[in-house]
């Protein structure tokens, strides 16, 4: 993908800080060029696959440099409704990187120990070390999305002020912004993806899981209950993305009805993000270089005895 087209595409997907997320206006985003309007579904699919393959290679090289430099980290946050394709996006986009340098964390219902701390406590412990890529498959944003839809779940946190207090949700978003600003200042770049799946496509994917005996285990009947609150979740996401897309930790809204396109867009943004870190390969000192030159001479002079 040409760099100018990539830049336009990324700008189109970005939730501009200080402006509404406007999720309802983003469900027709494709590949950001009028020429794609004339392409068939199969042609768009082929283009997306080609972009993904190319960017996956670039991401692999970028990860190697991230690991070698050892002074920056990358935290990738995925949020979405059920069946939006978070798992497949993570699997396909990250399939070319060294698994030793990547960690994937999925946050479940907090434990009693975690509930005894502030809500960002367990999140901070899961952030990646320098040189590594951390991926949150769901994240601290459940605290301002799922809990906004289900404020009764907050009772377990035993807070001094509850969600009925003025400014409660705004305060939580401020805490998240400050936390991510702290990470950025300490060398961890935060990039956040909201995979926007349509209600019709979600239904199609739920039914596909139920029809396939080998995939039925991935279906949870409770997901249908939450689907009944789809509009409430979209409103909560709209508020959260608007309040927390910042220059240091932007949100990208990725159309998720076509998985290949979703994966290609995620890969393109990750490559752009890592390249923007301006990483440098490590250099050796003069003494190290001198020792390496001597070691090379020794290796070149070595005579190996052929095996019998």
């Amino acid at each position: 993908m040409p760099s100018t087209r990539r830049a336009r595409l990324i700008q189109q997907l970005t939730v501009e800080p200080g402006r509404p997320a406007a999720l309802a206006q983003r469900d027709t985003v494709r590949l950001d060029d009028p020429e794609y309007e004339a392409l068939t579904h199969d042609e768009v699919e082929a283009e997306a696959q080609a972009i993904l393959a190319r960017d996956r290679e670039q991401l692999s090289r970028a990860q190697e440099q991230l690991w070698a430099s050892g002074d920056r980290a990358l935290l990738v946050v995925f949020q979405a409704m059920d069946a939006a394709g978070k798992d497949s996006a993570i699997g396909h986009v990250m399939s070319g990187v060294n698994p030793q340098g990547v960690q994937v964390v999925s946050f479940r219902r907090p434990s009693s120990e975690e509930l005894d701390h502030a809500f960002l406590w367990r999140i901070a412990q899961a952030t990646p070390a320098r040189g590594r890529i951390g991926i949150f498959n769901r994240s601290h944003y459940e605290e301002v999305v799922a809990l906004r839809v289900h404020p009764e779940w907050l009772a377990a946190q035993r807070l001094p002020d509850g969600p009925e207090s003025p400014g409660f949700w705004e305060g939580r978003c401020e805490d998240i912004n400050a936390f991510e600003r702290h990470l950025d200042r300490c060398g961890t770049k935060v990039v956040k993806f909201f995979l926007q799946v349509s209600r019709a496509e979600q239904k199609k994917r739920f039914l596909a899981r139920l029809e396939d005996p080998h995939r039925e285990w991935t279906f949870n009947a409770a997901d249908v209950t939450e689907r009944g609150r789809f509009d409430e979740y979209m409103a909560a996401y709209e508020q959260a993305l608007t309040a927390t897309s910042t220059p240091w930790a932007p949100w990208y809204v990725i159309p998720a009805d076509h998985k290949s396109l979703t994966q290609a867009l995620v890969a393109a943004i990750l490559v752009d993000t890592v390249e923007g870190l301006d990483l440098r390969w490590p250099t050796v000192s003069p003494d190290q270089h001198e020792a390496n030159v001597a070691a090379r001479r020794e290796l070149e002079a070595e005579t190996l005895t052929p095996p019998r």
Side-chain angles (χ1 to χ4, degrees):
M1 181 188 296
S3 58
T4 53
R5 181 186 294 168
R6 182 190 294 268
R8 291 199 310 271
L9 172 62
I10 292 174
Q11 182 179 15
Q12 184 180 12
L13 299 172
T14 305
V15 177
E16 293 294 336
R19 301 187 65 180
L23 295 179
Q25 301 171 26
R26 293 174 176 267
D27 57 2
T28 58
V29 175
R30 298 184 70 189
L31 287 176
D32 186 52
D33 203 299
E35 69 187 73
Y36 287 106
E37 295 301 323
L39 298 182
T40 67
H41 177 273
D42 289 344
E43 289 170 331
V44 172
E45 183 88 3
E47 175 77 5
Q49 292 282 7
I51 293 170
L52 176 60
R54 192 161 54 246
D55 284 344
R56 204 157 39 194
E57 290 183 12
Q58 288 184 261
L59 186 59
S60 178
R61 291 193 294 270
Q63 185 220 11
E64 184 181 2
Q65 192 171 25
L66 181 72
W67 177 269
S69 66
D71 56 4
R72 301 297 301 271
L74 178 66
L75 174 60
V76 186
V77 173
F78 283 93
Q79 286 289 149
M81 295 294 288
D82 295 306
K86 297 189 304 301
D87 291 341
S88 61
I90 293 168
H92 283 80
V93 173
M94 306 305 294
S95 62
V97 303
N98 187 336
Q100 295 183 89
V102 179
Q103 63 192 57
V104 181
V105 182
S106 297
F107 293 96
R108 306 298 181 185
R109 180 178 297 180
S111 67
S112 58
E113 180 185 17
E114 289 167 343
L115 288 170
D116 283 337
H117 293 80
F119 77 92
L120 288 170
W121 180 76
R122 65 172 180 162
I123 307 300
Q125 295 185 93
T127 55
R130 290 182 177 86
R132 296 177 62 85
I133 298 174
I135 299 173
F136 286 176
N137 185 347
R138 296 193 190 275
S139 67
H140 43 301
Y141 282 94
E142 295 296 301
E143 297 283 341
V144 290
V145 175
L147 294 186
R148 195 163 195 160
V149 176
H150 291 280
E152 68 276 10
W153 293 352
L154 277 164
Q157 296 188 16
R158 307 190 302 279
L159 300 171
D161 296 309
E164 69 285 348
S165 303
F168 177 84
W169 297 110
E170 292 79 0
R172 286 212 149 193
C173 289
E174 288 175 7
D175 291 341
I176 288 173
N177 287 342
F179 171 68
E180 292 173 351
R181 183 71 178 266
H182 169 70
L183 291 177
D184 184 71
R185 284 172 168 161
C186 293
T188 297
K189 181 62 181 176
V190 183
V191 57
K192 302 175 295 196
F193 296 107
F194 173 61
L195 307 189
Q196 186 175 8
V197 67
S198 69
R199 201 164 178 167
E201 180 64 20
Q202 186 193 52
K203 177 182 177 179
K204 178 181 174 182
R205 293 178 186 178
F206 279 164
L207 290 173
R209 293 179 183 182
L210 289 169
E211 292 166 1
D212 185 346
H214 300 294
R215 296 179 61 206
E216 187 177 353
W217 67 273
T218 66
F219 181 80
N220 187 335
D223 293 344
V224 175
T225 302
E226 292 304 289
R227 172 179 164 79
R229 309 184 77 161
F230 196 96
D231 292 341
E232 292 178 65
Y233 272 100
M234 287 300 100
Y237 271 119
E238 176 98 25
Q239 291 165 320
L241 270 61
T242 297
T244 61
S245 191
T246 59
W248 56 88
W251 274 106
Y252 299 95
V253 179
I254 309 296
D257 279 10
H258 303 286
K259 289 189 176 182
S260 293
L261 177 58
T262 301
Q263 295 156 14
L265 295 175
V266 168
I269 291 169
L270 286 179
V271 168
D272 185 78
T273 300
V274 177
E275 289 179 348
L277 297 178
D278 194 28
L279 300 172
R280 296 285 188 270
W281 289 104
T283 57
V284 298
S285 67
D287 289 345
Q288 288 174 315
H289 178 68
E290 181 99 10
N292 290 343
V293 169
R296 177 173 181 168
R297 291 199 198 99
E298 185 177 341
L299 285 170
E300 291 174 338
E302 183 178 288
T303 302
L304 297 177
T305 303
R308 295 182 180 180

